[in-house]
Amino acid sequence: MNILAIDPGKHYHYYSSWHNSKLMEYGKIDRNKLETIKTLMEGHDLIYIEDQYISPKRLKRPGDIIALIRASSELLTIAKLLKKPVSTVSPRKWQSAVLKAGKIDRKEIKRLSREVASKIAENKITNHNIADAICIGLYVTHILQLHA
């Protein structure tokens, strides 16, 4: 089974691609490259997109919230047009399961995300968004294994 995990962004979408619970590829795609996004989605059986968490800090920057919601909506729409099974993943769910993160600040969450993703990728991951996409994929593959 091929799984695509995506961390949506304002300018880029960050993704990880999994085959039978093994990380195969990760990277980023320009949000405006719709054909590339479509091609990536077509090669996967299931698609998981990180849901947007709206913190009080983000409420001070409504433009960022709107851009992220648009980005998520675009991805959901493309997946649905391709008739691909698509679900959203709550940041809190994957963070608590994969990072064992309770009440810790954003900086520490991003550090832990990079650390876990680097181990999975067997390569140093410095971009926290790519790290998040890898961690989302890890979370989803474990959940699917539990339900198999």
Side-chain angles (χ1 to χ4, degrees), residues 15-17 23-28 121 123-125 130 134:
Y15 71 92
S16 65
S17 177
L23 177 64
M24 303 303 289
E25 177 185 0
Y26 55 87
K28 71 179 183 178
N123 188 22
K124 185 172 175 123
I125 304 296
I130 289 174
I134 292 170

Side-chain angles (χ1 to χ4, degrees), residues 15 19 22 34 36 41 45 53-54 68 74 78 85 109 112-113 116 124 130 133-134 137 146:
Y15 71 92
H19 178 71
K22 181 173 175 17
L34 297 179
T36 305
M41 286 184 176
D45 304 307
Y53 168 72
I54 300 173
L68 286 170
E74 288 169 3
I78 293 167
I109 287 172
L112 287 171
S113 177
V116 169
K124 185 172 175 123
I130 289 174
I134 292 170
L146 290 174

